Amino acid sequence: MHAMNQPTASPETLIEQARQVLADNRTSLFTKPSPRLYPHQWNWDSAFIALGLAHVDLTGAMNEIRSLLRGQWRNGMIPHIIYSPKASGYFPSPQRWQISRAADAPQGILTSGITQPPMITIAVRQIGKSAGGQAFVREAYGPLLAYHRWFHRERDPRGEGLVAIVHPWESGQDNSPRWIEIFNRIRLDQRPEYRRQDRQWVAAGERPTDDVYDRFVFLMDLARTLDYDQRVVLAESPFVVQDVLVNSILYAADGCLLEMAQQLGEPVEEIQGWLNTSRRAIRAKLWDEADGLYYDYDLRGEQLVRENTLGSLMPLYAGLADLEHARLVREHLTNRSEYAPDGIVSYFQIPTTSKSSRYFNPRAYWRGPIWVNMNWFMIRGLERYGYHEEARQVRQDTLSLVRKSGFHEYFDPRTAQGYGTPAFSWSAALAIDLLIDSHA
Ligand code: 2M8
């Protein structure tokens, strides 16, 4: 067992403990997000894991990415889950996805039929910066380019430089308040039949409700019945959202891909084109001048989703907020009634949903607790725009949380209590990155 609850653990001890979590979650091919709740390989989890491992175990980092690429579809998509045939205890199973219905599904490997934010490219760039990692960039470049092309070709329904997600699972923030209004519009004649498994591992109050899960399952079933034909799914699904978080990560990832192309002497025009168009489109369509926040655009309801969550601040991380960074930081991130500690409700930074939101819940999955990956994005964004003191404070809070409570999946901003699964891989991996790479 790991020695946890050591508020004074030295950086070296914390790195050791984090490495142990990753080693314990490691299978012969990849690292599970957690010991039991998530027994397969997840797309952006593995990217976060590789980012951390790149500092301490370069071969492990490269193998994590290689394992993820095994699941790539022939159209370029990297799915959100690659199933381990040996593992059980997770819903949905690969049988529910039935990806063999899709013309582009890979052979001989079981995956989901949707994707997740393309952190993989950002992880590969990190590997490429490590001594001994340069050759890996050449190895991964082709599959990464195919993945980016898939996003821009198949998920930009209006050709405007903004990609859409067709399931909350694609955002990685499944239970975000951003989906509530859209879900309220999805009326189900009949509950889909399924048995969730998550609540055998985690308390019900920390996980999505059954009503939310019904809609998760409805949307996945719909994509399956449409044989994962992206054009048809985008036309038929009641959930088609141009999400600020996914578009910001794709923009940052496009930037990394451009760097790699330059290093490798590959053509750059196509990637430069994506960057130019998305940069303009994100600001023109997703920025709300009145609220001083970026919002997702709901393509079915044809409106911005005016929910204040950390997703709204992701342009800081991506470097898309040159004109707005001061408003995002001063009016929101450091505002005591939204994200900053006020000494009463919020003790640690940063809750994933603004405290001013009617949906803020400090215990419920993606509706208020602190997540290490979101803090990591905000730290990098604050550093990028020169808010070094603010970045230092969030970094310090993040490390205190894992020191106090262990590498939990999420944390209560009032008490630092850990929720969700313990021994969560990305909490460990990103703590390593924060301890080793001060980035400034
Ligand atoms: C959570 O999502 C999965 C579905 O993909 C689940 O709840 O079963 C999210 O937090 C997601 O961001 C994460 O990648 C995944 C595994 O950690 O768990």
Side-chain angles (χ1 to χ4, degrees):
M1 277 307 350
H2 331 294
M4 287 302 174
N5 301 319
Q6 289 182 331
T8 54
S10 69
E12 293 71 27
T13 309
L14 205 55
I15 291 174
E16 238 357 271
Q17 289 170 345
R19 291 188 68 172
Q20 193 56 51
V21 166
L22 295 175
D24 291 348
N25 286 341
R26 172 115 198 123
T27 70
S28 54
L29 283 169
F30 63 87
T31 309
K32 297 177 285 184
S34 72
R36 285 182 295 271
L37 180 64
Y38 306 119
H40 305 286
Q41 181 169 27
W42 261 261
N43 183 333
W44 79 333
D45 295 65
S46 278
F48 291 128
I49 292 163
L51 253 165
L53 280 179
H55 299 292
V56 291
D57 171 11
L58 193 59
T59 309
M62 295 190 286
N63 287 340
E64 195 69 35
I65 301 291
R66 286 189 180 112
S67 171
L68 193 51
L69 292 174
R70 289 177 308 141
Q72 185 163 34
W73 286 31
R74 281 177 294 202
N75 57 6
M77 181 182 83
I78 302 181
H80 100 296
I81 301 176
I82 298 174
Y83 286 91
S84 158
K86 291 185 227 126
S88 59
Y90 183 76
F91 173 85
S93 70
Q95 287 68 36
R96 185 89 184 200
W97 290 103
Q98 278 178 34
I99 59 163
S100 55
R101 297 170 67 120
D104 289 313
Q107 301 285 321
I109 187 152
L110 296 169
T111 78
S112 69
I114 56 174
T115 193
Q116 258 189 339
M119 286 302 299
I120 183 174
T121 311
I122 296 164
V124 171
R125 174 170 158 274
Q126 180 73 43
I127 292 173
K129 287 199 318 196
S130 316
Q134 286 78 8
F136 187 69
V137 173
R138 166 57 71 202
E139 179 183 331
Y141 184 76
L144 291 179
L145 178 62
Y147 187 28
H148 285 236
R149 281 182 169 156
W150 173 82
F151 262 116
H152 291 286
R153 183 185 66 237
E154 303 213 10
R155 283 302 185 81
D156 185 357
R158 298 197 177 156
E160 59 190 336
L162 291 173
V163 299
I165 55 171
V166 296
H167 197 296
W169 285 337
E170 296 202 302
S171 74
Q173 304 192 304
D174 321 356
N175 200 33
S176 171
R178 312 206 292 286
W179 324 129
I180 294 177
E181 292 299 318
I182 303 177
F183 271 18
N184 286 344
R185 282 204 321 259
I186 305 180
R187 301 260 164 241
L188 303 180
D189 300 335
Q190 198 179 344
R191 286 199 58 205
E193 269 180 44
Y194 65 99
R195 181 129 53 86
R196 32 191 307 193
Q197 307 248 20
D198 54 328
R199 288 187 301 216
Q200 59 180 314
W201 316 116
V202 174
E206 296 165 29
R207 291 288 303 175
T209 62
D210 282 338
D211 272 357
V212 167
Y213 245 84
D214 285 352
R215 281 154 184 80
F216 289 163
V217 177
F218 167 77
L219 290 172
M220 77 171 280
D221 286 349
L222 178 69
R224 182 190 64 238
T225 54
L226 300 175
D227 298 336
Y228 304 104
D229 180 326
Q230 300 299 315
R231 210 176 28 82
V232 185
V233 175
L234 286 169
E236 304 275 316
S237 175
F239 184 98
V240 184
V241 178
Q242 290 165 322
D243 172 42
V244 178
L245 178 133
V246 173
N247 278 285
S248 298
I249 293 177
L250 180 60
Y251 180 83
D254 280 340
C256 294
L257 197 69
L258 178 68
E259 259 182 50
M260 294 180 207
Q262 282 160 341
Q263 269 166 31
L264 298 170
E266 294 286 335
V268 293
E269 293 72 18
E270 182 183 11
I271 308 173
Q272 277 164 340
W274 296 332
L275 284 163
N276 293 338
T277 324
S278 316
R279 188 172 190 92
R280 274 197 302 274
I282 290 173
R283 186 156 204 292
K285 191 165 178 187
L286 307 184
W287 170 248
D288 186 90
E289 178 65 25
D291 290 359
L293 286 168
Y294 283 89
Y295 289 128
D296 298 352
Y297 191 84
D298 164 14
L299 282 170
R300 283 292 165 269
E302 290 292 358
Q303 59 189 340
L304 288 174
V305 181
R306 292 196 157 75
E307 290 300 333
N308 186 354
T309 72
L310 280 188
S312 282
L313 307 182
M314 282 296 288
L316 287 170
Y317 167 71
L320 283 161
D322 296 350
L323 298 172
E324 288 89 37
H325 62 86
R327 287 194 72 186
L328 293 175
V329 174
R330 297 289 172 228
E331 290 175 22
H332 302 288
L333 210 45
T334 57
N335 175 345
R336 291 153 66 105
S337 57
E338 293 192 16
Y339 294 100
D342 54 18
I344 307 164
V345 181
S346 174
Y347 181 54
F348 288 93
Q349 300 183 82
I350 310 169
T352 33
T353 295
S354 167
K355 288 178 281 176
S356 61
S357 162
R358 68 201 140 139
Y359 299 120
F360 173 73
N361 175 341
R363 188 163 171 244
Y365 185 68
W366 290 114
R367 294 211 176 161
I370 300 169
W371 287 73
V372 172
N373 67 333
M374 293 311 294
N375 274 12
W376 183 89
F377 286 127
M378 293 301 124
I379 294 166
R380 296 297 176 232
L382 287 166
E383 284 166 348
R384 175 195 283 277
Y385 286 105
Y387 299 93
H388 296 294
E389 178 49 26
E390 290 79 356
R392 195 193 58 75
Q393 279 175 19
V394 180
R395 184 168 172 276
Q396 188 177 308
D397 272 13
T398 315
L399 295 173
S400 326
L401 287 171
V402 297
R403 278 197 175 96
K404 260 173 109 82
S405 307
F407 298 98
H408 264 272
E409 191 179 6
Y410 36 104
F411 302 85
D412 193 312
R414 303 160 304 180
T415 59
Q417 188 182 332
Y419 294 137
T421 172
F424 188 59
S425 293
W426 89 40
S427 298
L430 293 177
I432 297 177
D433 186 70
L434 290 177
L435 284 160
I436 294 184
D437 190 344
S438 64
H439 257 239

